[in-house]
Amino acid sequence: MSRHTAIVEWKRGENERFVDQKYSRAHLWRFDGGARVAASASPHIVPLPHSVAENVDPEEAFIAALSSCHMLFFLSFAARKGYVVDSYVDEAQGVMERNEEGRLAMTSVKLRPRITYQGTRPERSVEEELHHQAHEACFLANSVKTKVETQLPEE
């Protein structure tokens, strides 16, 4: 077992009443290694100027975390098979909509990795199997109800 922490900090602005819902949703995420991430509610959820479009929102972080977890397992499995990965870029996308219970939820995340290799590129079926193994191993994908799938680029 391991424990992981994040510190999330928010403070009401000096001239914000709060009860009128007109307060900034900007906040800070701090992690144990010292990383600090400016965060906010999504402008899709909380209109500007009460959100900060430039900051990371929880929905983006959710998608990025799933993508990152998958990628890290994929890289490990590819290395074990002897494939040398030069780059891995995933333009992951999530869909937020009403789920079966009628609640707003991230109902699906599509990982769309583009991978370049040094030397031999695996056959598509081998690459698909590596992604399947990564998906099965990704503890974040195993932790959510969201459908998480990988879409490889057309060749």
Side-chain angles (χ1 to χ4, degrees), residues 40 99 131 151:
S40 174
N99 64 14
H131 281 293
Q151 178 183 14

Side-chain angles (χ1 to χ4, degrees), residues 120-135:
T120 305
R121 178 183 189 93
E123 296 284 331
R124 187 171 183 92
S125 62
V126 172
E127 191 173 41
E128 287 172 350
E129 179 58 26
L130 289 169
H131 281 293
H132 175 73
Q133 291 172 1
H135 178 70

Side-chain angles (χ1 to χ4, degrees), residues 56-69:
V56 175
D57 61 60
E59 297 82 4
E60 293 168 328
F62 179 79
I63 295 163
L66 286 168
S67 174
S68 182
C69 184

